[in-house]
């Protein structure tokens, strides 16, 4: 009886457990639960849990803005890419060094064609390497973006109120400004040094046999006027450097404010001559075990300029090498083999150099550098008389990271992240004091593979005085098999990595559909305050102010002829041009002033003119001007290239060019 | 005893249920299960279940290729966008009508500069509207892509083996070819008609007062030679059409093979004159209740050409209006108010017209059209003698869809999907027989809002004889508040919609960072067979074959001078140019033949020359040529613009241009 009693009870208990288990089992949840559909999709699409987590960490629903904005160089597309994080969607391509007709940039638009002419009006492309956001006290302020054109030695200014290029300056001394753009902590200057030294000013000829005597690698400090939003060439200066090949630079910050640090390679001063020597530059420029870190006191250089201790070369104030050395503006420090990246820690106390043919990060102490300078701890001078500070006297640490270390970024917890080109990996390691003490310092703590051949990497505010941590992006040079094939020219590959935890986690692969990005910077979106529509009708994006003289008022549209010049005062509003008929004679100069009368966000209008290579893009409230010679007779439709309403296709007109003689007809 | 027995048993049963329930409850699963981390991220990022499902349906892990490839017009960027589905990542921007230096397209590269010169070498942009994939028996075959340049009246051919532009042809008769590109079912022809009629050939002047007499809107059928991969102008022809404004066309298929259907508006033949008339074209072109659908028998037109019944105008075989009418090549049918899209159903039996100022889709029956032609059911002729078929005799149905219907796509279940511009929505509706019978036919079954102002929409193989269903993409003109703000010029917005179920489900918002896409086509990736690397060293992408004459063999690199011409035979391989030093005299003609010796996927090399506006992009195995006059004296570094190895920065050299006189120095 008792036995049977317990058998039944235990039996019922087990039955109950099973019933209860069944009740909440996956199969039963199918009917009720909200979780299983997720598992169903994961199974159907063969997604691992990590995949699913990555999907949920990056997916950004409609109408939800991304938390961070990345400005990435567009490499040899000449453009800049604007990417939202964590969704990794490319939000905009900003045209900088190449005409871009969607934006109406330098395709008939008079003002932007003027901007692009800097450096020669025949130059229609650029090679953007290193974007630099404007800084206030060493942190991004969200006001301006600066980028370089390595191919032609130019620097551009982009205003982040409207995400448009405002200025391009051509360096009169150099080309190949790989070391650019980087800014000083309050955007006093944008610096630029050449990769491949050359005789200057540009256009100067000197045979390679005179390389050591006549070639030089000056670093230029372009003065930036924040209120004007422009570089001021007259207030800029350059410092002559030896003809080594200059790689990246970084500005000192906090304790090292006022200083700059530049890598160099080819301190062998080898020159190309493979047909005769049968030796490639790869070999001849990489013989020395040590190259030179350049330590530059730009504050002292600024003082030299104020004291008039410069020569003017092709309009640029140039501090000669001897003057710089004598004034303590320039020092060298040995650095291991063919370095690439140099990055200053958030507190300004460390200078991290990655030698691409050396497995270590070499970390210099700014304090030790200063002591070495004061105590004269030099091991000699280079052939140009520049004092060489002792390596051991300035070194803080050397950390073995892996093969092909290139660049370093920082987080908010005292860790450094370095890209390893040959290992195709990102390595996370700890800095020394004040971040980590004793044997916690200078330690590799994590490593994650990336696909493939990483160049730069970038973290949220990762090169400022206040890194935010959270995300890091690996800028990979090769994608090979990562994406659906699109021909022999493969996209690059950006990989988003979560760095909020101890272990790095890869979240997302973004193919780069145009250009080869080199460096990028990531800013908190809340720091950007762009116009979503221009503040008033008649706004001139170049002046960044209203321009009554060129604003066409509704009702005042007209066509005025003065001799052979026909001036058209035109307005655009959904979906009509006024006037919509332009009749001129062959050979007339035609000037069209166009005002977009719209006040609605996104109500941009275009103006395309057949066969005359004109496409304007005129945002709500914006003024634009096009000027051309009507040298082709015939009938040329013009129309709006931004779909603006249901009757957008009716937003059109005709340009009629009457031939000089009817015989031409 | 019995009572107590049952109380205990029932109690234990309940306890068991609770234990079992607890055991599989979410809380207990936290310790073991794989689901809760997902829920955690959903909560942390405030994602709804629909958001999470959309994330999992679109997220595509590293190394997993997308299932579908979308080719989207780049609008007035002049480019084409290649997008992977379902991840909605832009995989490549293909340069077509504008130079693009990343691809080395027409920035010093001799062969592509030649391609771009079609239509005038001063033209450096285009307005791409309607991509058309090559078809075999009415379905995409993945071999070629055709796109138009509306601004300048051009059509381009892209070879999908390497995703590069191979040919651009300029139409000698017209500009503004909005109705282009669309292909006949076996890619016999690529058709092109002008939006804004004009006197022809291009360059002909006629005042707008002579609009009705001298302006016309011919439709051109460009002959395509599939084996050559080229359009053959000599085998192409055009048919003269009245000077209405032609909108989209579509080719008949299956039962309607051999026919084409083109919308038109401004049958009022209004001309722009707002300054005098105070009436915008928006009003004057939209007075008529009915415009005309053009029904064109291109097979019969082909026969007329074979019979020599054409005139040659500016090199184009032109069938005059009277000839076309007399031969039964051209008919008109009334269509409601300012139509925009015309789309033929997969079986070829229906022609769907969306009148942007009419809330209906008007569906014509091809069979009824043929009967009306045979029985002469005409209601008169237009001013140009074109017979007008009776509306009621040809109509199959009118389906009320909503405000501003524009374009229609189809799925694999007999449903049509139409974009509603004014409603900002996509509406799903049923076709008639053979798809649906009786009151199941011609019914709206679902509607989903999109953000905002949708123009075209595109479904997987959605305009072919065999639509695949699954996905649809809404090409929205405005994004306004959908993304993080990037200035007054907002991106467009592609929205991915799942159409596999009864109800449409929005999955993903993709901002378009460059250009305004108009139309796009989506193909199964498996149908594309691109080269991932060119098949051999010395490959010429224009010829799509090896080119021994211009291939530089390793060891045979050299520099040859003939008079004032310096010919450089150069190779590139990681990371060396041979030769790496080019010395010329000012004024010399410099020709560089460059062969990329690599066989590794993604081992592309660039060649940038400072100040000479040259950037080549040379894929593994590829040959390229640059030719320029060395008119600027001085020293010009050249270097590789594709990061190719750890010593990529050493892949460089110098071009030295010796001045005519040392005085110039």
């Amino acid at each position: 009886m008792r036995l049977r009693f317990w058998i039944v009870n235990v039996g019922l208990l087990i039955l109950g457990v099973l019933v209860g288990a069944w009740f909440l089992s996956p199969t039963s949840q199918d009917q009720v639960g909200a979780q299983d559909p997720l598992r169903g999709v994961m199974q159907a699409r063969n997604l691992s849990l990590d995949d699913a987590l990555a999907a949920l960490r990056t997916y950004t629903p409609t109408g939800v803005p991304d938390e961070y904005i990345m400005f990435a160089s567009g490499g040899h597309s000449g453009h800049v890419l604007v990417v939202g994080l964590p969704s990794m969607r490319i939000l905009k391509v900003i045209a900088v060094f190449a005409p871009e007709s969607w934006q109406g940039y330098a395709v008939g638009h008079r003002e932007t064609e003027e901007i692009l002419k800097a450096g020669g009006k025949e130059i229609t492309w650029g090679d953007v390497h290193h974007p630099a956001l404007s800084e206030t006290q060493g942190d991004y302020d969200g006001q301006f973006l600066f980028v370089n054109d390595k191919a032609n030695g130019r620097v551009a200014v982009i205003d982040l109120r409207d995400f448009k290029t405002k200025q391009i300056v051509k360096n009169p001394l150099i080309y190949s400004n790989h070391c650019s753009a980087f800014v000083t902590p309050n955007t006093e200057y944008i610096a630029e040094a050449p990769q491949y030294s050359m005789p200057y000013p540009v256009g100067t000829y000197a045979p390679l046999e005179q390389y050591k005597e006549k070639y030089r690698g000056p670093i230029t400090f372009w003065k930036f006027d924040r209120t004007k939003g422009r570089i001021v060439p007259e207030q800029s200066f350059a410092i002559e450097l030896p003809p080594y090949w200059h790689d990246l630079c970084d500005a000192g910050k906090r304790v090292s404010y006022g200083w700059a640090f530049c890598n160099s390679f080819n301190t062998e001063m080898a020159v190309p001559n493979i047909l005769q020597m049968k030796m490639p530059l790869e070999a001849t420029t990489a013989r020395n075990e040590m190259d030179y870190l350049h330590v530059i006191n730009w504050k002292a250089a600024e003082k030299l300029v104020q004291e008039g201790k410069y020569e003017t070369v092709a309009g640029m104030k140039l501090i000669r090498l001897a003057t710089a050395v004598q004034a303590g503006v320039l020092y060298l420090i040995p650095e291991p083999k063919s370095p690439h990246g140099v990055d200053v820690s958030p507190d300004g106390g460390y200078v991290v150099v990655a030698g691409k043919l050396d497995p270590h990060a070499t970390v210099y102490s700014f304090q030790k550098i200063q002591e070495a300078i004061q105590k004269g701890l030099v091991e000699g001078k280079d052939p140009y008389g520049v004092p060489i500070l002792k390596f051991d006297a300035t070194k803080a640490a050397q950390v073995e990271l892996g093969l092909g270390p290139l660049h370093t970024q920082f987080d908010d917890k005292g860790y450094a992240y370095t890209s390893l080109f040959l290992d195709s990996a990102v390595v996370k390691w700890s800095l020394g004091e004040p971040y980590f003490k004793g044997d916690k310092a200078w330690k590799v703590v994590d490593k994650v593979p990336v696909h493939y051949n990483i160049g730069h990497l970038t973290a949220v505010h990762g090169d400022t005085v206040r890194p935010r941590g959270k995300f890091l992006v690996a800028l990979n040079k090769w994608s090979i098999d990562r994406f659906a094939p699109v021909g022999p020219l493969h996209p690059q590959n950006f990989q988003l990595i979560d760095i909020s935890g101890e272990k790095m986690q890869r979240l997302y692969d973004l193919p780069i559909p145009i250009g080869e990005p080199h460096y990028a910077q990531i800013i908190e979106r809340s720091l950007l305050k762009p116009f979503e529509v221009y503040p008033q009708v008649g706004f001139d994006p170049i002046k960044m102010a209203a321009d009554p003289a060129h604003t066409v008022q509704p009702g005042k549209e007209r066509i005025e002829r003065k001799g052979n010049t026909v001036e058209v005062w035109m307005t655009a509003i959904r979906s009509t041009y006024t006037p919509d008929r332009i009749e001129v004679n062959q050979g007339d100069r035609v000037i069209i002033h166009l005002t977009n009368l719209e006040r609605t966000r996104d109500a941009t209008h275009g103006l395309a003119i057949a066969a005359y290579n004109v496409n304007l893009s005129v945002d709500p409230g914006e003024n634009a001007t096009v000027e051309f010679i009507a040298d082709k007779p015939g009938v040329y439709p013009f129309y709006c290239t931004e779909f603006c309403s249901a009757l957008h296709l009716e937003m059109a007109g005709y340009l009629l060019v009457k031939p000089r003689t009817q015989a031409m007809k």
Side-chain angles (χ1 to χ4, degrees), chain A:
Chain A
M1 179 61 192
R2 280 235 160 274
L3 177 64
R4 172 165 156 278
F5 173 80
W6 282 116
I7 288 169
V8 172
N9 291 357
V10 172
L12 285 169
L13 183 59
I14 292 163
L15 174 66
V17 170
L18 296 176
V19 169
W22 172 85
F23 183 69
L24 278 187
S25 72
T27 5
S28 73
Q29 285 171 39
D30 284 357
Q31 293 118 43
V32 295
Q35 299 162 31
D36 211 52
L38 298 179
R39 216 188 303 117
V41 177
M42 286 168 66
Q43 281 158 8
R45 298 196 63 231
N46 193 27
L47 299 177
S48 70
L49 177 63
D50 282 347
D51 294 335
L53 287 169
L56 297 180
R57 282 184 183 145
T58 54
Y59 183 81
T60 302
T62 184
V64 178
D66 279 298
E67 196 178 351
Y68 302 103
I69 301 297
M70 173 164 61
F71 293 92
S73 89
H76 43 310
S77 73
H79 302 321
V80 164
L81 309 178
V82 184
V83 182
L85 270 62
S87 78
M88 295 299 277
R89 294 174 297 188
I90 305 175
L91 299 168
K92 181 173 266 184
V93 171
I94 304 173
V96 184
F97 294 110
E100 202 293 293
S101 40
W102 164 59
Q103 290 155 86
Y105 184 72
V107 183
H109 182 235
R110 196 168 65 179
E111 290 72 15
T112 47
E113 280 181 340
E114 279 307 314
I115 290 173
L116 204 58
K117 275 183 192 160
K121 70 180 191 315
E122 73 281 3
I123 304 296
T124 60
W125 80 288
D127 185 13
V128 177
H129 274 244
H130 306 113
L133 285 157
S134 58
E135 295 184 7
T136 300
Q137 296 184 346
D139 198 7
Y140 306 146
D141 54 39
Q143 292 184 16
F144 297 95
L145 181 74
F146 309 96
V147 292
N148 70 319
D149 164 18
K150 175 177 171 177
N152 303 297
R154 300 183 291 175
V155 173
V157 179
I158 297 162
D159 192 318
L160 294 179
R161 281 173 292 175
D162 62 0
F163 285 61
K164 294 180 183 179
T165 302
K166 303 299 172 176
Q167 182 186 27
I168 295 175
V169 291
K170 169 75 191 95
N171 194 306
L173 304 180
I174 58 156
Y175 300 114
S176 74
N177 59 1
H178 185 264
C179 153
S180 184
F182 74 93
V183 301
T184 53
N186 291 301
T187 323
E188 299 95 336
Y189 295 98
I190 300 112
E192 179 189 28
Q195 185 124 71
Y196 309 113
S197 293
M198 53 184 280
Y200 49 67
V202 298
T204 302
Y205 173 80
L208 285 164
E209 290 67 25
Q210 301 173 358
Y211 185 85
K212 292 177 183 175
E213 302 74 30
K214 299 219 171 144
Y215 287 48
R216 293 291 181 269
I219 181 168
T220 301
F221 288 83
W222 290 107
K223 180 69 182 173
F224 184 65
D225 182 328
R226 199 185 280 267
T227 56
K228 289 197 184 74
R230 295 291 189 276
I231 286 168
V232 187
E234 313 75 58
Q235 298 174 30
S236 306
F237 64 89
I239 305 168
E240 193 168 60
L241 300 181
Y244 311 137
W245 288 3
H246 299 290
D247 210 317
L248 284 159
C249 302
D250 197 6
K253 52 184 87 135
R254 290 196 167 153
V255 295
S256 51
Y257 174 78
W259 294 75
F261 309 91
C262 297
N263 278 334
S264 61
F265 60 107
N266 191 20
T267 50
E268 299 84 352
M269 295 186 280
V271 295
N273 196 12
I274 190 168
L275 282 186
Q276 277 65 42
M277 290 174 53
K278 309 296 175 203
M279 284 278 281
L281 283 167
E282 285 183 273
T284 54
T285 62
R287 285 179 172 142
N288 295 352
E289 279 314 305
M290 289 292 206
D291 289 292
Y292 294 129
L293 176 68
H294 292 54
V295 179
I296 299 167
N297 185 338
W298 62 263
K299 271 287 181 190
E302 193 177 45
K303 195 158 160 297
L304 284 178
V305 172
Q306 286 156 5
E307 293 164 354
K309 295 180 178 167
Y310 60 84
E311 297 172 29
T312 300
V313 177
M316 176 63 71
K317 298 182 175 72
L318 176 69
I319 300 170
R320 293 289 181 186
L321 244 170
T323 315
V325 169
Q326 199 244 338
V329 162
L330 176 64
Y331 301 89
L332 303 176
I333 308 179
E335 55 185 356
K337 209 147 177 139
S338 298
H340 190 42
V342 54
D343 299 282
V344 177
S345 61
D347 66 344
Y350 296 115
V351 180
V352 180
V353 168
K356 61 199 186 221
L357 299 184
D358 179 274
H360 299 85
T362 299
V363 185
Y364 300 87
S365 155
F366 180 73
Q367 189 187 337
K368 287 185 170 183
I369 291 172
Q370 292 305 303
E371 287 165 7
I373 290 171
Q374 281 137 31
K375 297 177 185 162
L377 304 177
V378 299
E379 61 180 54
K381 296 184 170 196
D382 84 334
Y384 299 90
V386 187
I388 303 166
L389 303 177
K390 285 184 173 158
F391 179 68
D392 291 333
T394 55
K395 183 187 73 178
Q398 282 191 294
V399 187
E400 184 161 354
L401 300 178
L403 296 181
L406 294 185
H407 304 282
T408 300
Q409 292 273 292
F410 305 95
D411 70 7
D412 52 334
K413 301 182 186 71
Y415 290 105
Y417 300 80
T418 300
S419 55
L420 301 176
F421 179 84
L422 296 174
D423 282 349
S424 284
V426 172
V427 58
K428 174 182 180 180
W429 52 285
S430 58
L431 293 168
E433 296 189 11
Y435 300 103
F436 291 95
K437 295 184 166 54
D439 60 7
K440 290 252 177 293
W442 313 120
K443 288 271 179 307
V444 169
V445 297
D446 191 25
K447 194 182 266 196
V448 62
V450 292
H451 308 92
Y452 300 92
N453 299 6
I454 180 173
H456 278 269
L457 74 180
T458 182
V460 180
H461 289 240
D463 60 4
T464 71
V465 296
R466 194 159 78 78
R468 310 296 206 261
K470 295 203 173 168
F471 293 114
L472 178 143
V473 173
L475 281 64
N476 305 322
K477 299 301 185 178
W478 286 17
S479 62
I480 305 179
D481 55 5
R482 294 294 88 186
F483 308 110
V486 289
L489 179 61
H490 297 245
Q492 324 293 322
N493 183 12
F494 278 11
Q495 288 185 298
L496 179 68
I497 298 171
D498 184 330
I499 57 169
S500 57
E502 271 190 28
K503 291 272 170 198
M504 295 179 277
Q505 295 179 305
R506 281 200 320 266
L507 296 182
Y508 195 95
D509 282 20
L510 173 71
I512 299 303
I514 186 166
E516 175 183 286
H518 293 276
Y519 184 46
Q521 292 184 332
I522 305 171
I523 184 172
E524 287 182 353
R525 180 180 54 78
S526 59
L527 293 172
L528 298 170
K529 306 270 185 272
F531 294 136
E532 295 189 44
V533 63
Y534 282 121
Q536 63 197 100
V537 168
F539 200 83
D540 177 339
I542 308 301
K543 299 190 180 77
M544 285 304 256
D547 177 13
H550 293 90
T551 303
V552 187
Q553 301 295 343
K556 304 279 190 229
E557 300 93 345
R558 62 202 184 276
I559 300 177
E560 297 172 333
R561 171 178 287 278
K562 292 173 191 146
N564 291 335
T565 298
V566 177
E567 217 159 345
V568 181
W569 299 83
M570 181 187 281
T571 59
I573 191 162
R574 278 164 288 174
S575 277
T576 297
Y577 295 114
T578 308
D580 53 12
R581 166 198 291 225
I582 303 170
E583 294 171 290
V584 303
N585 298 318
Q586 186 182 1
D588 283 345
R589 170 178 304 278
V590 180
I591 303 171
I592 303 173
H593 306 278
L594 178 58
T595 297
N596 180 340
L597 299 175
E598 306 277 358
R599 301 307 302 130
T600 308
R601 273 186 305 176
D602 218 346
T604 296
H605 292 294
L607 175 64
I609 305 176
Y612 274 92
N613 207 44
V614 171
N615 186 59
L616 304 184
S617 172
V618 193
D619 294 328
E622 183 178 350
N623 282 351
T625 306
V626 55
E627 180 172 343
F628 60 93
I629 304 296
D631 51 4
K632 290 183 285 290
V635 175
Y636 302 93
F638 58 85
Y639 65 94
C640 177
T641 37
E642 279 274 344
F643 207 104
C644 52
S645 82
L647 293 175
H648 156 75
L649 293 174
E650 286 78 354
M651 190 164 179
Y654 285 99
L655 165 69
L656 296 105
V657 182
K658 192 167 191 177
R660 280 201 194 80
T661 71
Q662 288 302 314
M664 291 186 66
K665 198 176 145 202

